[in-house]
Amino acid sequence: MTLDVVLGLQWGDEGKGKIVDVLAAQYPVVARFQGGPNAGHSIQFGSTSFVLHSVPSGVFRKDAINIIGNGVVLDPTIFRQECEAIEALGVPVRERVRIAKRAHLILPTHKLLDAADEAALGKSKIGSTLKGIGPAYSDKTGRNGLRVGDLLEDFRLKYDTLKQKHLARLAQYQFTYPFDLAAAEARWMEDVEYLKSFPLIDVEYETNALLDEGKAILAEGAQGSMLDVDFGSYPFVTSSSTACAGACTGLGVAPRRIGKVYGVFKAYCTRVGSGPFPTELNDATGEELRQRGHEFGATTGRPRRTGWLDIPALKFAVMISGVTDLIMMKADVLDGFDTVKVACGYRVDGKRCDRVPYDVFADIEPVYKEFKGWKGDLGKCRREADLPEEFKAYIAYIEQEVGVPVRILSLGPDREQTLIRQ
Ligand code: IMO
Ligand code: MG
């Protein structure tokens, strides 16, 4: 069996939660391989929605095994809150979730460092979710980090050593922040005990054994390709590998075991936080997209920046991850627009260019192609034949430019509002 991967192809918030929940019906195993509680994956049940941060989006499917991989960074306090909220819905979360011993822990002082780093950057801040992601990954690659497996032996000593290093760093900042470290720490220690009640696993042996037994695994990406630490608009990125390769290193699975790579993108673009966004609309149309698409952060509540679809960025994301199937989300948000625009290229410092530029401060101007908008309610379409011709032309153009078929259309938050194409 193969490891199939779901990835966000833009700047996050593409709708990965909904799609993983839908696809999870076909996968006995769902696994997160990178990121942490900076993610906010929303799943809709009738009129209520649930936001997952660290737990894989397969948790609501009966019999699904959900794995938190070694590439993830885990905050025990957020994890516990999330699990208790899931349990309150009657879902036996402890039977469904397993955690890699090699996953790294986010300490309360990581959050303080995140806030101090951002404050020191002033106007050039990244716009981090302030969940401690960057500092936790820095400790991981800097070989200082604490891992879930450390909870099993001499934990307090290891914790205090790392905390002291953090406090020494924090003392160098002119930084005050209303944060009760002692209280956060006391709670964190209790939440660590809660975390220890879950199966703590050697994830690389487990994932490979599951594949050998004939169980397909769906790897659920967090964030998006344009926030990848290597290929995103550095330094305005997250601190993990959000592209397909991250699924191998984040779960201990070899590249040749990868099967399908599902690339999820919205029919337009959004970005939350700082950094380049060539097709951004700072006008009434941008506001309309934000309101109609409910484009407010699921993790931080911040209003998301909005703009038209960006083809060079989409092609770039498809290239670095070898996407085999495209999944288009939220085209229903564009219902009733007279014209829909797509950036088919850029003008960078005045010169025509089809590549995503290295320089994040370059002057990028999109070159647009215009499409006639469609009338009617895409949210009600259940078959290909129901789709308006203008919308089909929009999809056909994207497929032709990107060279990958759009296999799934999500036309609303509900599981039923999903059209699988032949
Ligand atoms: P999901 O999985 C959208 C953005 C932040 C910031 C940058 C770095 O829901 O798509 P970090 O907290 O990682 O240090 O922030 O990345 N960011 C996201 N944007 N969706 C996400 O996750 C994001 N996770 C991080 O806004 O610009
Ligand atoms: Mg999000």
Side-chain angles (χ1 to χ4, degrees):
M1 274 294 162
T2 55
L3 174 76
D4 294 355
V5 189
V6 170
L7 301 167
L9 298 182
Q10 295 162 323
W11 288 274
D13 306 326
E14 297 89 352
K16 300 175 288 287
K18 170 185 164 167
I19 282 305
V20 171
D21 173 62
V22 168
L23 291 173
Q26 307 157 37
Y27 288 88
V29 188
V30 180
R32 278 278 307 267
F33 58 88
Q34 49 70 235
N38 48 350
H41 295 180
S42 308
I43 299 177
Q44 186 97 8
F45 304 101
S47 57
T48 54
S49 87
F50 197 93
V51 183
L52 292 163
H53 299 288
S54 330
V55 173
S57 301
V59 72
F60 297 109
R61 293 282 180 183
K62 209 171 141 269
D63 304 327
I65 299 171
N66 289 268
I67 294 177
I68 297 178
N70 58 282
V72 171
V73 287
L74 201 54
D75 180 329
T77 297
I78 295 179
F79 175 74
R80 181 177 184 171
Q81 279 172 348
E82 197 174 326
C83 289
E84 288 181 345
I86 298 169
E87 268 174 332
L89 298 174
V91 175
V93 69
R94 241 178 273 252
E95 291 168 22
R96 295 193 188 168
V97 177
R98 307 173 185 179
I99 305 168
K101 282 191 275 192
R102 294 181 190 277
H104 279 246
L105 291 167
I106 301 177
L107 275 56
T109 38
H110 279 136
K111 282 200 258 192
L112 273 174
L113 283 167
D114 212 355
D117 285 339
E118 282 282 78
L121 283 169
K123 273 199 169 131
S124 14
K125 70 173 183 186
I126 310 297
S128 158
T129 60
L130 302 179
K131 302 291 176 197
I133 305 294
Y137 277 114
S138 304
D139 273 338
K140 172 180 177 173
T141 48
R143 297 163 296 188
N144 283 309
L146 273 187
R147 298 186 291 175
V148 168
D150 289 324
L151 299 175
L152 306 174
E153 222 185 300
D154 297 333
F155 180 63
R156 191 65 211 213
L157 181 68
K158 293 176 195 162
Y159 173 87
D160 285 331
T161 309
L162 185 53
K163 180 178 122 183
Q164 288 314 321
K165 285 188 191 173
H166 290 167
L167 292 179
R169 249 191 77 198
L170 281 162
Q172 294 166 2
Y173 283 104
Q174 301 290 329
F175 177 72
T176 49
Y177 185 66
F179 187 78
D180 185 345
L181 181 58
E185 182 177 278
R187 180 160 175 203
W188 194 89
M189 289 296 168
E190 285 175 21
D191 299 335
V192 150
E193 293 306 314
Y194 176 85
L195 195 157
K196 274 164 71 178
S197 70
F198 281 74
L200 307 183
I201 59 169
D202 293 318
V203 71
E204 60 289 357
Y205 284 107
E206 184 119 349
T207 47
N208 283 286
L210 286 163
L211 292 170
D212 292 342
E213 282 166 28
K215 293 202 166 75
I217 304 179
L218 187 65
E220 172 181 6
Q223 291 78 53
S225 311
M226 305 310 283
L227 290 171
D228 183 271
V229 67
D230 283 276
F231 296 104
S233 42
Y234 195 90
F236 302 103
V237 294
T238 190
S239 300
S240 64
S241 294
T242 60
C244 185
C248 296
T249 54
L251 291 170
V253 175
R256 67 179 176 81
R257 299 199 86 155
I258 292 199
K260 284 189 174 173
V261 183
Y262 299 100
V264 189
F265 71 105
K266 274 194 279 218
Y268 50 97
C269 284
T270 63
R271 177 167 198 163
V272 59
S274 328
F277 183 3
T279 60
E280 182 168 16
L281 294 167
N282 290 304
D283 59 9
T285 309
E287 190 53 38
E288 204 176 343
L289 283 174
R290 180 155 42 247
Q291 295 303 333
R292 284 214 214 169
H294 309 291
E295 296 297 352
F296 296 89
T299 299
T300 57
R302 291 177 291 177
R304 295 177 185 145
R305 300 157 67 193
T306 53
W308 297 120
L309 186 66
D310 183 330
I311 293 283
L314 198 59
K315 282 166 113 167
F316 176 81
V318 165
M319 174 180 77
I320 60 172
S321 290
V323 170
T324 59
D325 297 61
L326 286 172
I327 303 181
M328 190 201 274
M329 312 298 292
K330 291 180 97 166
D332 52 298
V333 170
L334 300 176
D335 284 355
F337 274 78
D338 291 332
T339 343
V340 173
K341 292 192 195 179
V342 174
C344 53
Y346 308 130
R347 220 166 267 117
V348 181
D349 296 323
K351 280 200 207 83
R352 181 67 205 248
C353 173
D354 296 327
R355 291 188 170 194
V356 172
Y358 166 82
D359 179 6
V360 291
F361 298 107
D363 175 24
I364 310 174
E365 199 197 318
V367 176
Y368 285 118
K369 187 173 164 60
E370 291 194 5
F371 289 81
K372 190 165 181 292
W374 50 89
K375 299 282 171 275
D377 187 350
L378 289 187
K380 294 209 172 90
C381 299
R382 294 290 180 275
R383 293 169 309 141
E384 187 78 15
D386 300 339
L387 301 174
E389 288 307 318
E390 293 85 355
F391 178 49
K392 284 194 205 158
Y394 187 64
I395 302 174
Y397 173 75
I398 295 166
E399 290 182 319
Q400 178 209 317
E401 281 297 302
V402 178
V404 177
V406 175
R407 295 268 193 223
I408 303 178
L409 293 171
S410 168
L411 302 168
D414 257 71
R415 277 179 187 168
E416 289 70 47
Q417 292 170 301
T418 313
L419 200 154
I420 315 282
R421 306 176 79 214
Q422 296 313 313

mmCIF file of all heavy atoms in Angstrom, residues 11-14 16 38-41 223 272 297-299 304, ligand 2:
data_model
loop_
_atom_site.group_PDB
_atom_site.id
_atom_site.type_symbol
_atom_site.label_atom_id
_atom_site.label_comp_id
_atom_site.label_asym_id
_atom_site.label_seq_id
_atom_site.Cartn_x
_atom_site.Cartn_y
_atom_site.Cartn_z
ATOM 1 N N TRP A 11 -0.914 29.481 0.707
ATOM 2 C CA TRP A 11 -0.312 29.976 1.953
ATOM 3 C C TRP A 11 -1.058 29.450 3.179
ATOM 4 O O TRP A 11 -1.190 30.136 4.192
ATOM 5 C CB TRP A 11 -0.316 31.511 1.947
ATOM 6 C CG TRP A 11 0.665 32.104 0.992
ATOM 7 C CD1 TRP A 11 1.978 32.371 1.232
ATOM 8 C CD2 TRP A 11 0.423 32.511 -0.365
ATOM 9 N NE1 TRP A 11 2.568 32.905 0.111
ATOM 10 C CE2 TRP A 11 1.650 32.997 -0.879
ATOM 11 C CE3 TRP A 11 -0.699 32.492 -1.199
ATOM 12 C CZ2 TRP A 11 1.780 33.479 -2.190
ATOM 13 C CZ3 TRP A 11 -0.570 32.962 -2.490
ATOM 14 C CH2 TRP A 11 0.657 33.447 -2.970
ATOM 15 N N GLY A 12 -1.552 28.228 3.082
ATOM 16 C CA GLY A 12 -2.328 27.658 4.180
ATOM 17 C C GLY A 12 -3.803 27.988 4.039
ATOM 18 O O GLY A 12 -4.200 28.738 3.130
ATOM 19 N N ASP A 13 -4.618 27.373 4.899
ATOM 20 C CA ASP A 13 -6.061 27.639 4.924
ATOM 21 C C ASP A 13 -6.771 27.285 3.623
ATOM 22 O O ASP A 13 -7.770 27.912 3.273
ATOM 23 C CB ASP A 13 -6.338 29.122 5.289
ATOM 24 C CG ASP A 13 -5.657 29.510 6.579
ATOM 25 O OD1 ASP A 13 -5.556 28.648 7.464
ATOM 26 O OD2 ASP A 13 -5.218 30.666 6.701
ATOM 27 N N GLU A 14 -6.281 26.280 2.923
ATOM 28 C CA GLU A 14 -6.896 25.902 1.650
ATOM 29 C C GLU A 14 -8.152 25.056 1.851
ATOM 30 O O GLU A 14 -8.930 24.874 0.909
ATOM 31 C CB GLU A 14 -5.897 25.112 0.783
ATOM 32 C CG GLU A 14 -4.649 25.893 0.357
ATOM 33 C CD GLU A 14 -3.525 25.757 1.378
ATOM 34 O OE1 GLU A 14 -3.769 25.184 2.471
ATOM 35 O OE2 GLU A 14 -2.412 26.228 1.088
ATOM 36 N N LYS A 16 -7.823 21.974 3.895
ATOM 37 C CA LYS A 16 -7.260 20.614 4.011
ATOM 38 C C LYS A 16 -8.077 19.756 4.982
ATOM 39 O O LYS A 16 -8.259 18.569 4.759
ATOM 40 C CB LYS A 16 -5.799 20.689 4.482
ATOM 41 C CG LYS A 16 -4.904 21.469 3.534
ATOM 42 C CD LYS A 16 -3.498 21.629 4.065
ATOM 43 C CE LYS A 16 -3.393 22.601 5.232
ATOM 44 N NZ LYS A 16 -3.544 24.030 4.890
ATOM 45 N N ASN A 38 -0.057 25.676 15.090
ATOM 46 C CA ASN A 38 -0.274 26.835 14.196
ATOM 47 C C ASN A 38 -1.343 26.490 13.166
ATOM 48 O O ASN A 38 -1.961 27.369 12.587
ATOM 49 C CB ASN A 38 1.034 27.263 13.509
ATOM 50 C CG ASN A 38 1.826 26.113 12.893
ATOM 51 O OD1 ASN A 38 1.532 24.935 13.113
ATOM 52 N ND2 ASN A 38 2.848 26.447 12.136
ATOM 53 N N ALA A 39 -1.563 25.194 12.922
ATOM 54 C CA ALA A 39 -2.575 24.753 11.971
ATOM 55 C C ALA A 39 -3.966 24.908 12.567
ATOM 56 O O ALA A 39 -4.148 24.794 13.779
ATOM 57 C CB ALA A 39 -2.344 23.287 11.608
ATOM 58 N N GLY A 40 -4.943 25.153 11.710
ATOM 59 C CA GLY A 40 -6.335 25.191 12.132
ATOM 60 C C GLY A 40 -7.156 24.530 11.048
ATOM 61 O O GLY A 40 -7.458 25.144 10.041
ATOM 62 N N HIS A 41 -7.457 23.249 11.222
ATOM 63 C CA HIS A 41 -8.166 22.504 10.181
ATOM 64 C C HIS A 41 -9.630 22.343 10.575
ATOM 65 O O HIS A 41 -9.945 21.667 11.552
ATOM 66 C CB HIS A 41 -7.480 21.151 9.947
ATOM 67 C CG HIS A 41 -6.088 21.307 9.406
ATOM 68 N ND1 HIS A 41 -5.265 20.253 9.112
ATOM 69 C CD2 HIS A 41 -5.385 22.425 9.076
ATOM 70 C CE1 HIS A 41 -4.105 20.722 8.631
ATOM 71 N NE2 HIS A 41 -4.163 22.035 8.622
ATOM 72 N N GLN A 223 -0.253 23.945 6.997
ATOM 73 C CA GLN A 223 0.234 25.140 6.310
ATOM 74 C C GLN A 223 0.168 24.906 4.787
ATOM 75 O O GLN A 223 -0.637 24.108 4.346
ATOM 76 C CB GLN A 223 1.665 25.508 6.747
ATOM 77 C CG GLN A 223 1.771 26.017 8.180
ATOM 78 C CD GLN A 223 1.712 24.927 9.224
ATOM 79 O OE1 GLN A 223 2.467 23.965 9.176
ATOM 80 N NE2 GLN A 223 0.825 25.058 10.180
ATOM 81 N N VAL A 272 -2.366 34.821 5.572
ATOM 82 C CA VAL A 272 -2.486 35.477 6.874
ATOM 83 C C VAL A 272 -1.065 35.624 7.404
ATOM 84 O O VAL A 272 -0.248 34.730 7.229
ATOM 85 C CB VAL A 272 -3.458 34.699 7.803
ATOM 86 C CG1 VAL A 272 -3.040 33.283 8.040
ATOM 87 C CG2 VAL A 272 -3.677 35.408 9.111
ATOM 88 N N GLY A 297 -8.857 33.862 10.393
ATOM 89 C CA GLY A 297 -8.051 32.723 10.837
ATOM 90 C C GLY A 297 -8.773 31.782 11.792
ATOM 91 O O GLY A 297 -9.401 32.229 12.748
ATOM 92 N N ALA A 298 -8.638 30.472 11.544
ATOM 93 C CA ALA A 298 -9.251 29.466 12.423
ATOM 94 C C ALA A 298 -8.443 29.299 13.705
ATOM 95 O O ALA A 298 -8.946 28.811 14.713
ATOM 96 C CB ALA A 298 -9.352 28.130 11.692
ATOM 97 N N THR A 299 -7.180 29.718 13.701
ATOM 98 C CA THR A 299 -6.325 29.582 14.881
ATOM 99 C C THR A 299 -6.227 30.893 15.640
ATOM 100 O O THR A 299 -6.233 30.920 16.860
ATOM 101 C CB THR A 299 -4.928 29.085 14.447
ATOM 102 O OG1 THR A 299 -5.099 27.811 13.838
ATOM 103 C CG2 THR A 299 -3.970 28.945 15.616
ATOM 104 N N ARG A 304 -7.914 37.393 7.058
ATOM 105 C CA ARG A 304 -6.929 36.949 6.078
ATOM 106 C C ARG A 304 -6.857 37.934 4.928
ATOM 107 O O ARG A 304 -7.866 38.538 4.549
ATOM 108 C CB ARG A 304 -7.323 35.571 5.527
ATOM 109 C CG ARG A 304 -7.283 34.493 6.584
ATOM 110 C CD ARG A 304 -7.747 33.156 6.023
ATOM 111 N NE ARG A 304 -7.815 32.155 7.086
ATOM 112 C CZ ARG A 304 -8.716 31.186 7.151
ATOM 113 N NH1 ARG A 304 -9.624 31.054 6.213
ATOM 114 N NH2 ARG A 304 -8.704 30.328 8.154
HETATM 115 MG MG MG B 2 -5.328 27.864 9.182
#
